[in-house]
Amino acid sequence: MRIRAKICGITRVEDALTAARCGADAVGFVFYEKSPRNVDVERAAQIVAALPPFVTAVGLFVNEDAATVLSIRQRVGLDLLQFHGDETPEYCQSFSAPYIKALRVRPELNLIQYAADFSSARALLLDAYQEGVAGGTGKTFDWDLIPAGLSKPVILAGGLDAENVGEAIRRVRPYAVDVSGGVEQDKGIKDVAKIAAFMRGVLDAEV
Ligand SMILES: O=C(O)c1ccccc1NCC(=O)[C@H](O)[C@H](O)COP(=O)(O)O
């Protein structure tokens, strides 16, 4: 099976085009002012306009008010919404748009129940938990906490890079992988060689 890949935290046209050229299926834009990868709405719109066809533009939000999400989605031309905070299923599906729900995995989280609660999500993105940090931690988590046979496709995130993505795919067998810090030279600034190596790692690991 081909494993999909998303490169998150894009702030520059050249990084989006590198991701697409290297075979990424999606690029992610962080619309969260507290993030060092927060991207200006007009700039995100310019990047999306430069994307080749068949590359999905994902907008990431953290506990954002609904009117702002709607406005950014329309202005940027987002294909998919990613909710990375404490959003409820009712909130997430209120946009009548495809969405993925990010969950920060820790032992006490009942992922089977969350998958049922977020039945309207296209997939669950599973990320590392770090207190007080909404995401983009650059940290892996214990992949054994992911139960087999979840009712939603899994997008594996958290501390992935070219070195560990192969093992991650073989162990978790996710639908897709998501990376940000592992392909950066600085926060929000991607590295061509790291993106290329990461995408080679994804292709080589296909199961
Ligand atoms: O990137 C951020 O700064 C960020 C801030 C708040 C919520 C989510 C954020 N990023 C999410 C991602 O980029 C990825 O979906 C995921 O967390 C993987 O990040 P990384 O561990 O750096 O590969």
Side-chain angles (χ1 to χ4, degrees):
M1 190 181 79
R2 190 168 88 77
I3 307 297
R4 268 71 170 179
K6 165 169 160 264
I7 310 289
C8 201
I10 295 286
T11 64
R12 307 190 301 175
V13 169
E14 57 265 45
D15 293 342
L17 297 183
T18 298
R21 199 170 55 247
C22 292
D25 300 280
V27 290
F29 302 95
V30 177
F31 299 105
Y32 180 50
E33 282 178 6
K34 290 184 187 159
S35 168
R37 304 181 179 99
N38 183 47
V39 63
D40 174 77
V41 175
E42 296 314 319
R43 183 190 271 248
Q46 287 165 7
I47 299 172
V48 170
L51 285 176
F54 308 129
V55 177
T56 301
V58 183
L60 186 158
F61 300 90
V62 180
N63 301 331
E64 189 54 86
D65 71 78
T68 303
V69 174
L70 280 171
S71 161
I72 292 177
R73 179 181 179 226
Q74 195 197 8
R75 285 160 68 196
V76 176
L78 298 171
D79 301 305
L80 186 65
L81 303 175
Q82 175 175 334
F83 296 113
H84 219 100
D86 305 311
E87 300 86 358
T88 63
E90 293 71 29
Y91 167 94
C92 293
Q93 65 193 17
S94 69
F95 300 96
S96 300
Y99 79 91
I100 56 181
K101 180 70 185 85
L103 299 170
R104 299 181 299 139
V105 178
R106 50 205 182 280
E108 60 272 25
L109 201 72
N110 184 341
L111 284 173
I112 293 174
Q113 186 60 53
Y114 270 97
D117 292 348
F118 285 95
S119 60
S120 58
R122 296 296 167 100
L124 296 181
L125 184 147
L126 302 183
D127 200 355
Y129 177 80
Q130 189 180 326
E131 199 172 344
V133 183
T137 63
K139 299 241 181 350
T140 56
F141 65 93
D142 180 1
W143 301 325
D144 289 336
L145 292 173
I146 305 173
L150 269 184
S151 60
K152 289 275 125 188
V154 167
I155 302 169
L156 184 64
L160 298 179
D161 58 26
E163 300 300 314
N164 64 13
V165 72
E167 189 200 344
I169 288 172
R170 281 186 293 274
R171 280 186 48 193
V172 177
R173 294 180 170 253
Y175 168 75
V177 290
D178 182 304
V179 65
S180 186
V183 295
E184 284 180 339
Q185 47 177 276
D186 206 348
K187 303 267 186 211
I189 307 296
K190 303 306 184 198
D191 182 297
V192 175
K194 288 182 183 175
I195 291 179
F198 183 83
M199 290 306 302
R200 269 198 305 277
V202 174
L203 289 171
D204 288 350
E206 285 182 6
V207 284

